[in-house]
Amino acid sequence: MQNFKVLIGTQSQEKLIARLRSNDRRELNEAIRDVYNHHISPVRYFVMQNGGDSHDADDLVQTTVLNFVEAVRKGSFQLQEGTTIEAFLFVLAKNRWRNTLKQRGLMRDYVQEMEATSGGQDSWDASAQRIMEEREEQERYIQLFKLLGERCQTILTAYRRDGLSMKEIAQKMGFENERVAINEKYKCLQKLKALFRYET
Amino acid sequence: MRPKSGQEQMEWIDAYLRNALSPEEREAFEKEMNTNAEFALEVEFMQQADSVIDDFLLADLVAEIHAEKVEEWHTTEPRPEREAPVIPLQNPGRTQVPWWKWSAGTAAAVTIAFTTYITLSPIQVGDTLNQTLRGGEARISEQPSRICFENFYAGRSFVMTQQPSHAIPRLQQVIDCEVRPYFKDASKWYLTVAYLQDNKPEEAEHMYQEIMDNPDFSYDISWLDKQKISWQIRIAKWFGKNENEETE
């Protein structure tokens, strides 16, 4: 048989990881799209073949991509030789889906089989579990941030999302001047601090 | 020197976190942070706030892209076809056709329909593995390694989603793995389909021949799928040959 081996493209995977770590929002946007376009379809089919419908699959895809991108950006995921992005996404999704099935009181044969045959948790499973726990913790704080309301959210995200200066934020929000914008930002941060304190 | 008002302090911390302080100011800031526990907590809060804002923005971005992709998937995935309108068999005033014409016409129509079907219809890359995994006697005793297993499932999913360039290297790796023959044989079948999807009929034919020549081949392929792949390989080769002649 003709030797038709194609390398999995470690270099392109490394580039994708680098782009996912970028602070340039446009580049990050494109990189996330690449994850959707080239690496996520096995996750959807995995769910749909194992007790889930297309809505379950869509939800799991979103959670998996978010967990993965956060793990990449925070350094929890490192690409190692012989590993692929798809395989790690698959492990993340499988762990999450296993929890979902358990919560629903279901445990499909397939997942039981996978657990029985993979010889217990390996380092990737442990890593996936840790990433999921970190994500749950972050989600609690994101929910607190959302309690601030749209006005505070816009003021606080304008610099980090769009790189706007306080003067530009003042113009965007219709404030009299830059000092008013700074004062508003200070008030929003004080509210956020109070929410964090209440939570802890 | 540390500003006195809370608002000015926030600006000072903000400037530090954005790396906007001069080296002297930075040194003074860090000295204050190392000696004043209350101030250090303020810095920690501002760092945490920045981190939460980043997480919020990232979740927002992923949600935005996800919504677009879901819409795309749901519009491109096959939907149930509309029911064809019923046409009455007895048209008033139609002329009588002799029986032999009927027979010949029906045979020709069936042949054309079958040829069209096996040429155009997709080949099954189905869920038989799961059934085998769950089955009693066929329950597997020795297992593929984790990476082989992930490659197998990813490869199969890429074939199902018509992404042969992603499927081929993964399935080739499964064939090279130390795994139960069932996985290798299933991967060979998926590879045959992937080669065909990737417009590589020679590779597909070679792999298919290997499958046919193996009396111990353990993956169950239906007669119809064998006919389909065999016919589709021939058609693809014929088209490829014609294209080459035209370019020459």
Side-chain angles (χ1 to χ4, degrees):
Chain A
M1 186 187 141
Q2 187 188 338
N3 190 355
F4 197 69
K5 287 211 163 177
V6 181
L7 290 172
I8 282 182
T10 311
Q11 207 181 354
S12 66
Q13 292 199 114
E14 280 169 1
K15 278 185 187 164
L16 178 59
I17 297 292
R19 288 163 60 219
L20 287 171
R21 289 195 178 121
S22 171
N23 287 327
D24 179 339
R25 203 166 160 83
R26 191 182 299 173
E27 191 170 16
L28 175 62
N29 186 318
E30 291 302 316
I32 295 171
R33 282 173 194 280
D34 278 354
V35 174
Y36 269 93
N37 291 337
H38 304 297
H39 302 279
I40 206 70
S41 52
V43 170
R44 290 192 85 227
Y45 279 87
F46 166 73
V47 176
M48 288 199 270
Q49 285 174 9
N50 291 282
D53 58 21
S54 65
H55 294 292
D56 292 325
D58 293 341
D59 288 348
L60 191 74
V61 161
Q62 184 173 5
T63 312
T64 305
V65 172
L66 184 57
N67 286 0
F68 173 66
V69 178
E70 277 178 350
V72 168
R73 291 179 71 81
K74 292 186 175 172
S76 315
F77 172 76
Q78 303 287 340
L79 193 62
Q80 290 163 356
E81 204 177 330
T83 63
T84 63
I85 290 173
E86 287 90 16
F88 189 68
L89 286 166
F90 197 82
V91 172
L92 277 177
K94 188 199 74 183
N95 276 276
R96 173 70 68 170
W97 185 237
R98 185 182 53 199
N99 288 355
T100 306
L101 290 179
K102 274 181 185 168
Q103 281 166 9
R104 290 181 189 175
L106 298 165
M107 197 64 176
R108 292 277 297 219
D109 293 350
Y110 175 79
V111 178
Q112 284 175 337
E113 192 79 43
M114 277 182 83
E115 289 194 332
T117 58
S118 60
Q121 285 210 329
D122 65 11
S123 62
W124 270 22
D125 276 317
S127 170
Q129 189 63 33
R130 199 176 56 248
I131 287 169
M132 267 164 44
E133 284 163 10
E134 281 171 11
R135 173 69 205 150
E136 277 163 21
E137 179 77 7
Q138 286 158 8
E139 189 55 38
R140 274 174 49 219
Y141 283 103
I142 289 176
Q143 291 307 321
L144 293 176
F145 181 74
K146 285 181 180 172
L147 291 176
L148 287 177
E150 204 175 325
R151 180 184 154 95
C152 273
Q153 283 176 30
T154 309
I155 294 170
L156 294 177
T157 57
Y159 170 76
R160 294 192 86 79
R161 171 160 44 200
D162 308 313
L164 297 185
S165 65
M166 289 315 291
K167 195 175 172 183
E168 288 166 323
I169 294 170
Q171 283 169 352
K172 184 181 175 181
M173 300 294 294
F175 296 142
E176 202 175 320
N177 55 42
E178 189 180 347
R179 286 316 307 171
V180 178
I182 291 170
N183 189 34
E184 289 296 322
K185 181 180 173 182
Y186 177 69
K187 285 183 194 165
C188 292
L189 281 170
Q190 291 310 302
K191 274 192 207 171
L192 188 62
K193 196 198 284 183
L195 288 168
F196 282 5
R197 270 194 198 139
Y198 181 75
E199 178 67 15
T200 51
Chain B
M1 174 114 184
R2 180 184 162 193
K4 284 183 182 156
S5 84
Q7 191 172 312
E8 283 169 347
Q9 191 169 275
M10 175 200 77
E11 286 181 82
W12 199 38
I13 299 171
D14 221 21
Y16 173 79
L17 295 177
R18 288 175 200 178
N19 221 5
L21 294 181
S22 69
E24 296 78 30
E25 286 173 319
R26 201 171 175 79
E27 197 181 334
F29 184 96
E30 284 168 358
K31 193 177 171 189
E32 182 70 27
M33 192 166 57
N34 293 331
T35 52
N36 186 333
E38 198 186 332
F39 181 65
L41 279 175
E42 283 298 313
V43 178
E44 196 182 310
F45 161 71
M46 289 286 281
Q47 280 173 322
Q48 191 186 12
D50 278 352
S51 170
V52 171
I53 292 167
D54 284 345
D55 291 341
F56 169 79
L57 289 174
L58 182 63
D60 207 33
L61 180 61
V62 170
E64 188 187 311
I65 295 169
H66 183 81
E68 277 177 39
K69 289 288 158 190
V70 166
E71 201 180 332
E72 203 176 285
W73 291 331
H74 289 204
T75 49
T76 53
E77 275 169 1
R79 291 175 181 205
E81 286 173 19
R82 279 187 190 169
E83 201 174 328
V86 177
I87 300 163
L89 287 171
Q90 297 289 337
N91 281 340
R94 74 189 173 100
T95 52
Q96 194 71 34
V97 180
W99 68 270
W100 55 271
K101 278 193 179 176
W102 260 104
S103 304
T106 307
V110 167
T111 308
I112 291 168
F114 183 70
T115 310
T116 311
Y117 171 69
I118 64 171
T119 306
L120 299 176
S121 66
I123 294 156
Q124 179 68 33
V125 197
D127 198 21
T128 47
L129 178 75
N130 284 352
Q131 289 156 14
T132 308
L133 282 167
R134 292 178 197 134
E137 286 180 12
R139 205 170 186 83
I140 47 180
S141 54
E142 45 187 286
Q143 287 301 325
S145 70
R146 164 57 56 91
I147 289 175
C148 291
F149 187 82
E150 310 291 5
N151 275 330
F152 179 83
Y153 270 91
R156 186 178 70 161
S157 298
F158 281 126
V159 174
M160 291 166 102
T161 51
Q162 306 265 326
Q163 299 180 73
S165 60
H166 291 293
I168 290 167
R170 285 162 182 81
L171 293 169
Q172 282 172 333
Q173 287 201 353
V174 181
I175 292 174
D176 292 338
C177 279
E178 287 298 318
V179 293
R180 202 170 72 101
Y182 180 86
F183 285 91
K184 291 188 178 212
D185 289 348
S187 298
K188 283 179 184 173
W189 171 244
Y190 300 149
L191 252 183
T192 309
V193 179
Y195 282 139
L196 201 55
Q197 288 174 346
D198 209 21
N199 205 17
K200 294 188 171 77
E202 276 79 17
E203 280 87 349
E205 188 177 37
H206 205 110
M207 186 55 74
Y208 182 59
Q209 201 52 52
E210 205 176 297
I211 292 170
M212 291 292 99
D213 292 344
N214 181 2
D216 300 322
F217 192 77
S218 55
Y219 183 76
D220 189 27
I221 308 167
S222 71
W223 175 85
L224 191 59
D225 278 335
K226 284 179 187 170
Q227 301 308 310
K228 281 186 206 170
I229 201 95
S230 167
W231 185 253
Q232 289 181 17
I233 287 170
R234 262 182 264 167
I235 296 273
K237 280 178 76 179
W238 185 77
F239 272 111
K241 196 178 161 190
N242 277 6
E243 272 176 23
N244 288 342
E245 279 172 8
E246 276 173 26
T247 49
E248 279 168 16

